[in-house]
Amino acid sequence: MLIVAGLGNPGPQYAGNRHNIGFMAVDAIARRHGFSPWARKFKGEIAEGQIGGEKVLLLKPLTFMNVSGESVGEAVRFFKLEPKDVVVVHDELDLPPGKVRIKTGGGHGGHNGLKSIDAHLGRDYRRLRLGIGHPGTKEAVNPHVLGDFAKVDRPWLDDLLEAVAGQFELVVKGEDAQFLNRVTLATTGSEEPSSAKGSAGGAAMRAVAPGGAAPKGQSHIRQARSGGPQVKIPEKGPMADMLKKLFGKE
């Protein structure tokens, strides 16, 4: 059994906040996979269902963000599970909007919801981090996370939530790198760079351009193979002289 806890704050006044992207994600998963109606339990709302043949409990803590651990910890203890059986979905200031990372363990990075869960479970649970971007200054953080997503954000946000829900079976199976690659393909049309796949904490996906369709990205190698734009190397002039010196060509 897997518990998937999406973090946010309860109440209609917070429903569209950037801080509530965790709630939005588990709502999307529940819709996509035909989960039960939401019910009150474990100081939160729960929905039950199966993904890929595995039993999954979706949880939205109603304790407010800063004490999310009370709800998540109660559910974990009730089912006698371990931290490895928990995935927490949350907003991430340190990732640009549209980027996704997933990892096991690590610090809370100042996120009060994670800090509370750490106190109840320890750190050895998986975190699905959904980028919302940083406003630039510490003073602007609270208005940013407690502010609603703008209309211009809706195209990339909707695509992201749909992709996360659609590919979530891979998370249930523990195939995190494959999940991130599929989400990237679904939202940007290009595969996850191999360097990102091998990086600590999981792969990152490129942000979808706000207000427009997902870009159909291609590597320079793929463009060259497909007859795309070629870079012409100069044969004369200052640039040519510099290249000759750099590569030792006379």
Side-chain angles (χ1 to χ4, degrees):
M1 179 180 179
L2 188 70
I3 292 178
V4 181
L7 303 190
N9 286 311
Q13 69 271 38
Y14 301 109
N17 286 183
R18 294 179 181 88
H19 220 19
N20 275 39
I21 196 171
F23 275 13
M24 297 175 193
V26 293
D27 280 338
I29 293 168
R31 289 192 301 269
R32 180 62 176 262
H33 297 279
F35 272 55
S36 68
W38 292 95
R40 293 291 184 97
K41 197 170 184 179
F42 307 127
K43 298 180 182 178
E45 289 186 339
I46 64 169
E48 298 176 281
Q50 288 195 353
I51 301 178
E54 296 291 332
K55 184 175 181 181
V56 175
L57 180 81
L58 301 178
L59 172 64
K60 294 190 290 186
L62 299 181
T63 53
F64 285 92
M65 181 69 80
N66 292 0
V67 285
S68 299
E70 292 182 6
S71 175
V72 178
E74 187 173 319
V76 170
R77 289 188 294 272
F78 179 86
F79 290 107
K80 298 180 181 179
L81 300 176
E82 300 178 15
K84 66 180 179 63
D85 303 313
V86 177
V87 177
V88 175
V89 189
H90 65 91
D91 60 302
E92 178 58 72
L93 279 167
D94 293 333
L95 290 176
K99 280 195 175 182
V100 176
R101 290 186 185 234
I102 186 167
K103 67 177 183 178
T104 300
H108 54 71
H111 193 292
N112 288 328
L114 297 182
K115 189 184 299 185
S116 176
I117 294 171
D118 286 354
H120 286 262
L121 300 186
R123 296 182 176 182
D124 296 330
Y125 56 90
R126 283 191 286 168
R127 303 110 187 271
L128 177 52
R129 305 157 62 198
L130 307 181
I132 62 168
H134 197 288
T137 64
K138 184 177 180 180
E139 294 74 23
V141 165
N142 280 345
H144 179 69
V145 299
L146 295 178
D148 287 354
F149 282 105
K151 288 183 179 180
V152 72
D153 294 321
R154 293 310 310 189
W156 69 258
L157 178 61
D158 291 344
D159 286 348
L160 173 61
L161 295 174
E162 182 178 347
V164 166
Q167 301 300 328
F168 203 77
E169 181 177 342
L170 293 167
V171 175
V172 175
K173 292 180 176 179
E175 299 176 9
D176 293 351
Q178 184 72 356
F179 163 76
L180 290 172
N181 195 48
R182 293 282 185 85
V183 169
T184 305
L185 281 168
T187 55
T188 70
S190 62
E191 293 184 358
E192 190 67 35
S194 58
S195 59
K197 289 179 187 178
S199 64
M205 72 167 235
R206 293 180 302 164
V208 180
K216 302 297 182 182
Q218 285 188 326
S219 69
H220 294 303
I221 294 174
R222 189 173 295 179
Q223 285 181 357
R225 287 176 178 171
S226 61
Q230 302 287 326
V231 178
K232 186 176 181 180
I233 299 175
E235 297 178 358
K236 297 181 180 180
M239 180 62 73
D241 293 339
M242 184 189 74
L243 292 173
K244 287 177 182 179
K245 289 180 181 178
L246 181 64
F247 293 105
K249 293 184 178 180
E250 298 296 336

